[in-house]
Amino acid sequence: MGYNALRILKEGLSRNVGWRPIWRSLEPKSEYDMIIIGGGGHGLSTAYYLAKNHGITNVAVLEKGHIGSGNIGRNTTIVRANYFLPGNSEFYSHALKLWEGLEQELNYNVMMSQRGVIMLCHSDGQRDAFARRGNAMINQGDDAELWSTEQVRAEIPYLDFDNTRFPIYGGLMHGRGGSARHDAVAWGYARGADRLGVDLIENCEVSGIDVVGGVVKSVQTTRGTIRAKKVGIVTAGRSSQVAAMAGLEVPIESHVLQAFVSEGLKPAIDHVISYGMGHFYISQSDKGGLVFGGDLDFYASYAQRGNLPMMEHVMEAGMTLMPAIGKAKVLRSWGGIMDMTPDGSFIIDRTPIDGLYMDCGWCYGGFKAVPASGWCMAHLMAEDRPHEVAQRHTFDRFETGENLMDEEGTGSQHNLH
Ligand SMILES: Cc1cc2nc3c(=O)[nH]c(=O)nc-3n(C[C@H](O)[C@H](O)[C@H](O)COP(=O)(O)OP(=O)(O)OC[C@H]3O[C@@H](n4cnc5c(N)ncnc54)[C@H](O)[C@@H]3O)c2cc1C
């Protein structure tokens, strides 16, 4: 079913009884050309681009829960391409270009809102570092503007500019950054993949990966054994556990990241604002809730909920940056399991097992990567060679020492850096 204005009018006039489920509910087949384990944003976009870009449609996405139940439905929805290092710059730049055409591509409203992302600076040194980052972004072909304190004050007057310890010295504005509706992205890719013939199998947990003579043969699931020529592990926070099913140890630790949403308020925050002296960032949703988050919980965990000390840390940073936030009531908080690599950058690579591939290590920033990750993982699985914008993101960088430490780059051990 295609979506367009006429369709909405017709359904509106006929009591909306004509809408259909946007993907099929299927029994798994006994064999596929390719299996993707994990029906999050990255697994779904991989399946979509396998079908769309490479014509490979005999594909199943196996999801242990329901589509959208993982981090794809738990993040704070920020999309940006403001990275500094070669490797990350071209990848996230590619991702942002895909985001800009995603609604037309998927015929689905993902509520892409390029409202601008501003990273605030609070010292001369930080402003110099942001100037350098901005130049790197411009060299990559993306947009960046260094805003003075006065420019920030004119646009975002409610911040505490004269905080004694952390006065605001300006910020780096990335105008094409913004946000998109997270679960709509999952639904849009799921619908797109389904329409191209991909089987989406929900409530199908993978419990084993069969490898014979160094070649992947099949996966064991709660709905039986399924054979495949190629298998992609795209399970975000569960990456190490699923890799271990094939006897692999991967450089990933899982940590909880929390997010918070306030009661609905009148429009107040026009941009995504990121504090430079504590881990705190905030935007306002279309429903009016203030959506904000902060740092990882500092210990490895598979619990999809956070702890009180980190909540306090986030609230404290929020109050320092914009004291007015203290009047808003927090309605909900939640957590998701992050797949943290030692350098804070991701991996899209083959494994030592023939036919087994991994897309993982998205840390706290994999939502904005969804389109490019699927694009590159599909390329890798279809052509057995990395896509040019992801070619540095291999496992062997942890042996060679090639540096992909961007942003904080502190990986799973934030507190020890
Ligand atoms: C609170 C929070 C805020 C965030 N904010 C941002 C942000 O603002 N911007 C940004 O870019 N990123 C953000 N992120 C990070 C981003 O959400 C993740 O990096 C990204 O969603 C991970 O990829 P995914 O969507 O494929 O993961 P998921 O949606 O978690 O997909 C993985 C799927 O694999 C399934 N699975 C696991 N094990 C198995 C198995 N054995 N068998 C079958 N299926 C299995 C899971 O059920 C899950 O559905 C945030 C994350 C959190 C938690």
Side-chain angles (χ1 to χ4, degrees):
M1 177 190 294
Y3 294 150
N4 53 48
L6 275 180
R7 177 94 213 176
I8 292 170
L9 187 65
K10 182 168 172 259
E11 291 300 334
L13 294 173
S14 55
R15 287 190 280 160
N16 287 302
V17 290
W19 301 114
R20 296 282 169 265
I22 63 173
W23 61 84
R24 298 160 296 158
S25 175
L26 297 165
E27 285 302 315
K29 292 191 283 193
S30 58
E31 182 165 4
Y32 290 92
D33 289 339
M34 296 194 191
I35 282 176
I36 307 298
I37 309 175
H42 295 244
L44 294 166
S45 62
T46 300
Y48 175 79
Y49 291 118
L50 275 172
K52 181 76 194 298
N53 293 357
H54 304 279
I56 301 170
T57 56
N58 187 21
V59 175
V61 176
L62 308 182
E63 166 54 46
K64 74 171 178 179
H66 60 267
I67 297 292
S69 55
N71 293 334
I72 188 62
R74 291 168 181 268
N75 62 72
T76 42
T77 76
I78 295 165
V79 170
R80 56 187 169 86
N82 56 359
Y83 280 72
F84 177 58
L85 286 183
N88 285 335
S89 290
E90 60 265 35
F91 176 84
Y92 287 103
S93 182
H94 180 56
L96 187 54
K97 289 185 195 112
L98 293 175
W99 277 110
E100 287 172 333
L102 197 60
E103 287 164 340
Q104 290 71 23
E105 170 75 23
L106 299 177
N107 177 227
Y108 203 85
N109 183 7
V110 301
M111 296 168 73
M112 179 68 181
S113 161
Q114 292 181 287
R115 60 187 70 181
V117 173
I118 184 151
M119 293 160 64
L120 298 170
C121 53
H122 308 266
S123 68
D124 287 334
Q126 199 174 26
R127 190 171 44 206
D128 288 351
F130 281 179
R132 211 169 150 219
R133 177 181 291 264
N135 284 332
M137 290 159 65
I138 290 166
N139 284 340
Q140 175 57 43
D142 293 317
D143 68 288
E145 273 178 42
L146 201 58
W147 279 12
S148 65
T149 313
E150 290 65 39
Q151 278 171 296
V152 179
R153 200 190 289 271
E155 286 282 330
I156 318 173
Y158 46 82
L159 301 179
D160 184 359
F161 284 82
D162 304 314
N163 184 286
T164 318
R165 280 189 76 194
F166 305 125
I168 294 171
Y169 274 44
L172 185 65
M173 169 52 94
H174 170 42
R176 283 166 63 226
S179 66
R181 166 107 191 241
H182 49 11
D183 37 20
V185 174
W187 300 333
Y189 272 114
R191 171 173 172 268
D194 178 87
R195 291 174 103 193
L196 293 171
V198 170
D199 287 4
L200 306 180
I201 316 288
E202 294 175 271
N203 302 310
C204 182
E205 178 164 3
V206 171
S207 53
I209 298 176
D210 304 318
V211 178
V212 180
V215 183
V216 74
K217 294 290 177 192
S218 53
V219 295
Q220 303 293 330
T221 81
T222 44
R223 297 174 73 171
T225 302
I226 310 175
R227 292 188 301 279
K229 297 181 188 75
K230 292 185 176 181
V231 174
I233 300 175
V234 195
T235 49
R238 300 278 171 182
S239 295
S240 346
Q241 288 179 323
V242 178
M245 294 175 193
L248 299 175
E249 199 178 345
V250 291
I252 288 178
E253 253 188 37
S254 293
H255 287 246
V256 175
L257 180 66
Q258 302 187 63
F260 308 86
V261 66
S262 78
E263 60 191 327
L265 301 170
K266 286 185 179 171
I269 300 184
D270 296 332
H271 314 287
V272 177
I273 303 169
S274 170
Y275 184 35
M277 275 295 154
H279 208 140
F280 174 81
Y281 60 94
I282 187 162
S283 64
Q284 189 166 17
S285 78
D286 292 339
K287 282 196 294 185
L290 305 182
V291 182
F292 56 100
D295 221 333
L296 293 174
D297 285 7
F298 288 144
Y299 48 85
S301 164
Y302 288 106
Q304 280 185 320
R305 59 185 161 74
N307 66 21
L308 289 171
M310 189 51 69
M311 273 187 195
E312 188 181 7
H313 177 87
V314 171
M315 304 299 165
E316 201 175 66
M319 286 295 289
T320 312
L321 180 66
M322 43 187 297
I325 198 178
K327 294 190 178 160
K329 293 188 181 65
V330 173
L331 287 193
R332 289 183 291 124
S333 71
W334 62 92
I337 312 167
M338 308 287 84
D339 36 333
M340 303 301 297
T341 53
D343 64 0
S345 291
F346 65 90
I347 298 160
I348 298 180
D349 201 2
R350 284 179 286 247
T351 71
I353 295 168
D354 268 2
L356 186 65
Y357 305 79
M358 281 195 80
D359 172 308
C360 57
W362 292 101
C363 302
Y364 31 67
F367 176 64
K368 61 183 169 294
V370 163
S373 164
W375 186 284
C376 294
M377 181 66 168
H379 183 279
L380 177 72
M381 290 185 72
E383 302 200 7
D384 258 310
R385 60 189 172 88
H387 188 277
E388 60 182 0
V389 300
Q391 59 192 346
R392 293 176 188 235
H393 290 83
T394 51
F395 283 108
D396 66 5
R397 72 175 188 268
F398 301 106
E399 286 169 24
T400 62
E402 184 181 349
N403 181 10
L404 273 177
M405 275 201 191
D406 217 310
E407 304 206 307
E408 264 192 292
T410 51
S412 57
Q413 295 286 299
H414 274 21
N415 50 330
L416 299 185
H417 289 257

